[in-house]
Amino acid sequence: MSFLTVENIVKDFGGLVANNNVSFTIEEGEIVGLIGPNGAGKTTLFNCIVGYHRPDSGKVTFRGKDVTGFRPFETNRAGIGRTFQIMKVTTGMTVLENVMVGSFCRTNNRNTARGEALHVLGDLALDAVKDYYINELPIAIQRKVGLARALATKPALLMLDEVASGLNPTEIEEVVELLRRLNSAKKITLFLIEHIMEMVMKVSQRVIVLDYGEKIAEGLPADIVKDENVIKAYLGEKYAQGL
Amino acid sequence: MEKLKDALDFSDFSKAERIGLVIFSVFLFAFPWIGAGSFTTTVMIQFLLFSLFGMGWNTIGGYGGQVELGKAQYVGIGSYTVALMMVWWKVPFWVSMPIGILIAVGYSFIIGYPLFRLKGHYFAIATICTSLVLKDIFDNWNLVGAAKGIELPIHDHPDFLYMQFKSDTYYYYFIMALFYIALFYMNWFRKSKLGYQLRMIKDDEDAAESLGIDIRWCKIKAYSIASAFVAVGGGFMAVYNLYIDPASTMELSLSIKIALMAMLGGAASLWGPIIGAAFLVPLDRFLGSWLGGQKGLTGIDFMIYAALIMIVSAYQPRGIWGIIEQFRKRGH
Amino acid sequence: MLIADALLQGILMGLLFALVSLGLTVIFGVMDIVNFAHGEFLMLGMYSVYWANLFFHIDPLIALPVSAVVGVLLGLASYYCFIKYLLRGPAIAQLFGTFGLMLFLQYFAMFLFSADYRMIDKGLLVGKSLSVGPFIFDWTKLAAGILSLIAFAVVYYFLHKTKTGKALQATSLNKEAASYMGIRTDRMNAIAWAIGGGTVGMAGGLLVNFYYAYPMVGILFVMIAFACVALGGFGSIKGVFFAGLLVGILEMIFPVFGHLIGSDFLGPHFKFTVVYLAYFIIVVVRPQGLFGWKN
């Protein structure tokens, strides 16, 4: 039995099919990338798994448990964490408080929550900014805070939505390093949407490609870049024929 | 034990705030001894009562960020429970008030469950509606005195069980005790798991849900805590005024006042509701007694009051505490 | 028979309710703000016709444009002097702000006109009734219903057929997109407030023919208007028309049911309770309103 099983997910937004019959599995400990052109339905697929959308049909199983149609807080409690592509810039809570909310997911004690939040912040080298508000921080740090918040809920599977977009090459390098470390040291399974091909290819062990809501390819990064369907989807029909 | 420590621990506030709290507390304790007249005592009692209401509202309205405008129905539940049980069965205040709280909490769960499916304006107006429905029912229900209201039996001798005293000073100290319980509770609340979760919900609901927070349930919990606070105040109103009617306990304007005090002072801060009440209650009272009584000036007091609300909401929506914090930040 | 009568009376009241709620929904649609002071515009519309009638002996029906003009001016003044500044703040401040405006206008009216209940006693239609078969209609209510319908139709035409009206609709669909297309949001907001004030002021002018004017009269009608707007779906013009009719009928028919089954709890005192409950149930069960389109 697989760690995460997604079977025949269909999501239709009033005639606009965002996900059509998508199926795949993820094994424990893997790093899997999800790529596809804009509007391919990547974020919708994430939302269907996590529970922001209820799929029209299909089934999601996580660690042997049917989590289809769970609310996001229920999937989180089951062990799936996620980050958002766009972090809402808020002014109400400091970085530490944000991460503490994450830790409170697993404990009722404030001191324990605080200790764990500090630990996660230390792990991500965010100690220095712990008393800042999110709106006072550059975007790269905001992303990291989002990641820290999700990590503090102690997920077994972490789903990252474009964690590297808007970052410069050095920052991307750092994120790649960090993700690898989380995967190897903390044994967290990673599933990431990414736009930046370079990064996906570097970090993922396996890649799934979506186009127009359908899965068009799946395999090792090295094979995916050579896949005819993928090239077509990314570069357009004409270019592919010219190859 | 740890909870108690959290409740009494004000160490994360600035020195100025702590000194302010001490001076304020000394003033509160000494107030009846510094030769206060009966009018100022009434104003002080109102101030403490509205601080209590405001602190309650602050859980759901301030920390949770929900525009809740139906708190008056819980004032009604609290006061009617105490009054009716006393009139019908001679139940002492100390028994009927906890029952009032239980009813308020139970009712808030029943109402809260459908209510918190709503958001934004829908939610705000729905809270008003629920409160008005209850008022309509009490206005027309002969068993509970309808619009005429009910008078509580007056005892010949002061009676602690029924909270009947000759002097306002006793009521003053009683509401002051409630005020401090509320203050300590709120001091714990803002540091509690629920407090953190509510602030997250206010900031970003989607993110909150992704962090394992059951948003609706959190809101319902905060709503019922707020309702319990307000019901306590309602129970006090019944024994203090010895007369209650739907107009004085369940009117929309009361709901608005409660929310307004917290807003004006600064929502989602521990001091906000207290500052708001300290500002609005005396203003309301003094304007009323100076201007309201004059011939030909009826309404002027409320016009000033309303103009103030308008100015604050247009120019300083973060309230008085917001202004103070702004100055402090500039100081750094 | 009783039911048929209540139905017809309810439709007449419903047409008036629709006119009362129209402005609220237009304002909500264009700028996402709930105007608590809407009922006070109605109240001042009522007073303007009342005073015109008392001092200048103008027939209440002929004085109707006065109330509409008063409403438009009120709407514009509120927008330019106050609401504009309110928009910068958070939603909760907006709610309190319009609530403050409501209190201010209430007590302003009390200061000027005292708390007395006032009613028009002379006029072309006042006190006259029309009997059609077994039904008896007050001419004042009949006129209110018909004129409300006409006013509603005019505004509907304006919103759907004129350039300005279409711009207004575009703004309410998508503010940002509209502003990219060169529609000035600020101007659209002002127009929405002018329409809002004008229609509700006129509704007040019609209402005063058969209902008391007093400083606090607005709150009752603003709650009804909230219910209608929610029922119709916030921001929906078509929706608010049918919702108004529905609320009017509900309000008339429930006391009749109560009377028929001899229950006190459906008595006339509770007719507005029914409206509040209807609002509550509708928004919980169907938040987009019965005919809604806007989230």
Side-chain angles (χ1 to χ4, degrees):
Chain A
M1 190 184 55
S2 296
F3 190 60
L4 177 77
T5 316
V6 173
E7 291 166 88
N8 310 91
I9 289 287
V10 178
K11 182 68 197 175
D12 183 339
F13 291 111
L16 185 84
V17 184
N19 288 148
N20 195 6
N21 239 357
V22 180
S23 304
F24 61 89
T25 60
I26 292 179
E27 301 304 325
E28 189 159 13
E30 268 192 308
I31 302 180
V32 179
L34 177 66
I35 62 170
N38 269 330
K42 298 175 304 244
T43 300
T44 306
L45 183 60
F46 258 40
N47 285 339
C48 282
I49 296 170
V50 177
Y52 286 96
H53 300 324
R54 179 183 267 277
D56 296 327
S57 66
K59 195 175 165 193
V60 182
T61 321
F62 179 64
R63 293 203 279 199
K65 191 174 172 188
D66 184 356
V67 297
T68 326
F70 268 38
R71 302 280 307 144
F73 73 88
E74 294 170 313
T75 49
N76 179 275
R77 286 176 192 178
I80 305 179
R82 82 161 288 179
T83 66
F84 292 86
Q85 184 182 353
I86 297 160
M87 176 120 174
K88 208 166 162 187
V89 180
T90 56
T91 56
M93 297 173 95
T94 64
V95 168
L96 175 62
E97 286 171 337
N98 258 285
V99 181
M100 273 174 77
V101 173
S103 336
F104 266 128
C105 179
R106 305 281 168 207
T107 174
N108 290 324
N109 184 296
R110 189 167 64 99
N111 290 328
T112 320
R114 193 182 150 86
E116 271 165 21
L118 284 172
H119 182 76
V120 173
L121 285 174
D123 213 29
L124 300 191
L126 286 170
D127 313 66
V129 297
K130 72 179 169 52
D131 292 325
Y132 283 81
Y133 291 91
I134 308 277
N135 62 330
E136 298 168 331
L137 299 169
I139 192 150
I141 307 286
Q142 286 181 12
R143 284 267 164 66
K144 263 181 146 182
V145 174
L147 183 60
R149 207 161 64 177
L151 278 174
T153 67
K154 297 194 178 150
L157 168 68
L158 185 58
M159 304 186 23
L160 305 146
D161 196 347
E162 304 219 5
V163 73
S165 72
L167 304 189
N168 66 34
T170 341
E171 287 165 345
I172 291 176
E173 203 58 46
E174 268 177 41
V175 172
V176 168
E177 224 22 70
L178 176 65
L179 294 184
R180 281 197 183 130
R181 191 155 54 82
L182 288 176
N183 182 249
S184 58
K186 303 221 174 217
K187 307 276 177 266
I188 298 173
T189 311
L190 299 176
F191 185 27
L192 49 137
I193 293 180
E194 202 45 76
H195 227 78
I196 304 167
M197 270 292 212
E198 194 193 345
M199 154 141 184
V200 194
M201 294 311 160
K202 223 184 244 173
V203 75
S204 332
Q205 295 152 357
R206 199 152 58 85
V207 175
I208 296 165
V209 190
L210 281 188
D211 190 26
Y212 290 111
E214 293 188 33
K215 188 171 90 173
I216 55 165
E218 181 178 354
L220 298 172
D223 297 334
I224 287 292
V225 287
K226 283 182 270 175
D227 190 293
E228 206 172 301
N229 285 329
V230 177
I231 295 169
K232 240 189 247 170
Y234 265 86
L235 302 171
E237 195 81 24
K238 266 189 190 155
Y239 190 84
Q241 277 166 0
L243 276 176
Chain B
M1 209 52 225
E2 199 169 343
K3 284 180 182 176
L4 197 65
K5 220 185 93 200
D6 265 358
L8 298 174
D9 180 11
F10 289 88
S11 61
D12 58 333
F13 285 109
S14 71
K15 205 171 177 187
E17 282 164 87
R18 276 178 286 161
I19 292 172
L21 180 64
V22 170
I23 294 172
F24 174 68
S25 301
V26 170
F27 169 72
L28 278 189
F29 274 100
F31 177 76
W33 305 98
I34 49 182
S38 69
F39 178 68
T40 41
T41 309
T42 341
V43 174
M44 281 302 282
I45 290 175
Q46 288 288 326
F47 155 66
L48 291 171
L49 179 65
F50 272 94
S51 302
L52 178 71
F53 287 154
M55 282 192 265
W57 183 86
N58 211 11
T59 55
I60 183 68
Y63 293 105
Q66 306 299 307
V67 189
E68 209 277 322
L69 299 174
K71 272 285 146 286
Q73 61 193 320
Y74 297 99
V75 178
I77 290 175
S79 58
Y80 268 93
T81 311
V82 167
L84 290 173
M85 290 183 92
M86 213 172 271
V87 171
W88 289 346
W89 304 303
K90 293 194 167 36
V91 178
F93 174 78
W94 299 100
V95 177
S96 57
M97 191 180 75
I99 294 175
I101 297 171
L102 284 180
I103 295 175
V105 170
Y107 182 75
S108 72
F109 274 100
I110 296 167
I111 292 265
Y113 192 72
L115 204 54
F116 285 106
R117 285 179 56 135
L118 308 174
K119 281 174 189 163
H121 303 304
Y122 298 84
F123 172 79
I125 297 169
T127 57
I128 297 175
C129 280
T130 57
S131 197
L132 287 179
V133 166
L134 202 70
K135 178 172 180 283
D136 267 5
I137 292 172
F138 274 73
D139 257 338
N140 294 289
W141 194 1
N142 286 324
L143 188 65
V144 298
K148 287 193 305 291
I150 29 177
E151 276 176 43
L152 275 72
I154 298 170
H155 294 212
D156 296 335
H157 301 286
D159 192 338
F160 180 70
L161 275 182
Y162 291 88
M163 284 305 285
Q164 295 220 342
F165 305 116
K166 286 231 154 53
S167 155
D168 265 5
T169 310
Y170 295 98
Y171 290 108
Y172 174 82
Y173 277 116
F174 178 57
I175 189 75
M176 193 181 87
L178 291 178
F179 169 85
Y180 275 101
I181 294 170
L183 183 70
F184 291 136
Y185 180 85
M186 287 310 291
N187 191 34
W188 168 76
F189 180 86
R190 73 189 172 89
K191 299 181 244 179
S192 71
K193 176 174 178 173
L194 184 59
Y196 275 79
Q197 291 183 329
L198 281 171
R199 286 163 66 199
M200 193 74 212
I201 290 170
K202 182 187 187 179
D203 268 4
D204 185 346
E205 285 207 358
D206 280 340
E209 247 194 319
S210 81
L211 299 176
I213 299 172
D214 185 345
I215 292 182
R216 196 165 159 205
W217 178 234
C218 271
K219 287 178 182 171
I220 294 174
K221 275 194 282 188
Y223 180 65
S224 63
I225 291 169
S227 304
F229 267 68
V230 172
V232 172
F236 174 81
M237 267 171 80
V239 287
Y240 175 63
N241 294 332
L242 291 172
Y243 167 74
I244 52 165
D245 61 352
S248 65
T249 56
M250 291 187 226
E251 193 70 271
L252 172 63
S253 58
L254 180 61
S255 296
I256 304 275
K257 256 188 202 170
I258 292 172
L260 187 69
M261 303 232 171
M263 265 280 298
L264 182 85
S269 91
L270 186 59
W271 316 126
I274 304 170
I275 294 173
F279 198 73
L280 277 190
V281 170
L283 185 82
D284 189 12
R285 278 309 178 105
F286 288 114
L287 279 179
S289 68
W290 286 337
L291 296 171
Q294 316 248 349
K295 269 240 164 86
L297 285 179
T298 337
I300 280 268
D301 49 340
F302 274 98
M303 276 167 70
I304 296 174
Y305 190 77
L308 203 80
I309 299 172
M310 287 163 69
I311 292 166
V312 170
S313 19
Y315 295 102
Q316 191 39 268
R318 289 189 55 216
I320 297 170
W321 191 245
I323 303 177
I324 298 173
E325 291 223 304
Q326 242 170 32
F327 274 110
R328 271 213 311 216
K329 266 190 188 159
R330 222 169 281 163
H332 277 304
Chain C
M1 203 61 242
L2 268 172
I3 292 176
D5 184 53
L7 209 64
L8 289 169
Q9 302 289 350
I11 288 172
L12 288 182
M13 277 315 279
L15 289 167
L16 185 65
F17 287 165
L19 187 64
V20 172
S21 322
L22 174 64
L24 201 63
T25 212
V26 168
I27 291 170
F28 183 88
V30 171
M31 54 205 292
D32 235 19
I33 202 171
V34 170
N35 180 21
F36 268 106
H38 198 69
E40 279 49 48
F41 291 6
L42 178 96
M43 178 263 294
L44 291 169
M46 290 173 85
Y47 271 113
S48 59
V49 167
Y50 175 82
W51 294 118
N53 178 260
L54 194 72
F55 286 136
F56 305 111
H57 306 290
I58 306 172
D59 189 84
L61 279 182
I62 298 165
L64 213 52
V66 177
S67 62
V69 169
V70 166
V72 169
L73 291 179
L74 260 172
L76 287 175
S78 310
Y79 178 71
Y80 279 115
C81 301
F82 179 51
I83 304 297
K84 215 174 140 177
Y85 302 98
L86 208 56
L87 288 176
R88 297 173 305 191
I92 185 163
Q94 293 170 5
L95 271 172
F96 281 116
T98 62
F99 186 80
L101 183 62
M102 163 184 139
L103 270 186
F104 185 82
L105 293 176
Q106 274 178 2
Y107 286 94
F108 182 64
M110 187 179 274
F111 175 61
L112 288 182
F113 314 137
S114 88
D116 296 345
Y117 285 54
R118 294 165 197 275
M119 197 165 173
I120 286 184
D121 45 15
K122 31 181 201 275
L124 275 178
L125 303 176
V126 175
K128 300 193 176 99
S129 53
L130 170 75
S131 47
V132 182
F135 304 113
I136 298 168
F137 298 103
D138 292 337
W139 263 112
T140 48
K141 288 186 185 170
L142 211 54
I146 292 165
L147 287 171
S148 295
L149 184 62
I150 293 170
F152 200 101
V154 169
V155 173
Y156 190 82
Y157 178 84
F158 170 78
L159 288 174
H160 290 265
K161 299 289 178 223
T162 65
K163 208 176 155 199
T164 319
K166 280 180 184 165
L168 208 61
Q169 295 259 319
T171 312
S172 85
L173 273 173
N174 189 336
K175 194 174 290 178
E176 236 170 281
S179 76
Y180 290 143
M181 293 189 305
I183 297 172
R184 282 166 52 204
T185 317
D186 189 53
R187 215 172 133 242
M188 288 302 123
N189 289 346
I191 291 172
W193 279 81
I195 294 176
T199 50
V200 79
M202 187 172 155
L206 290 167
L207 186 66
V208 78
N209 280 298
F210 57 90
Y211 203 90
Y212 295 104
Y214 58 100
M216 309 296 165
V217 69
I219 186 77
L220 182 63
F221 286 92
V222 85
M223 288 312 300
I224 293 173
F226 281 154
C228 294
V229 170
L231 273 165
F234 279 78
S236 161
I237 313 271
K238 246 183 244 165
V240 86
F241 180 76
F242 293 109
L245 283 182
L246 191 65
V247 169
I249 292 168
L250 269 182
E251 178 235 12
M252 285 294 172
I253 221 153
F254 263 89
V256 174
F257 277 136
H259 180 73
L260 288 180
I261 61 172
S263 154
D264 203 29
F265 258 92
L266 286 172
H269 300 300
F270 289 102
K271 62 184 184 182
F272 294 111
T273 310
V274 173
V275 175
Y276 303 145
L277 277 177
Y279 169 86
F280 189 73
I281 293 164
I282 295 280
V283 292
V284 167
V285 176
R286 210 180 137 76
Q288 67 274 43
L290 289 179
F291 324 92
W293 50 273
K294 185 165 177 152
N295 287 328

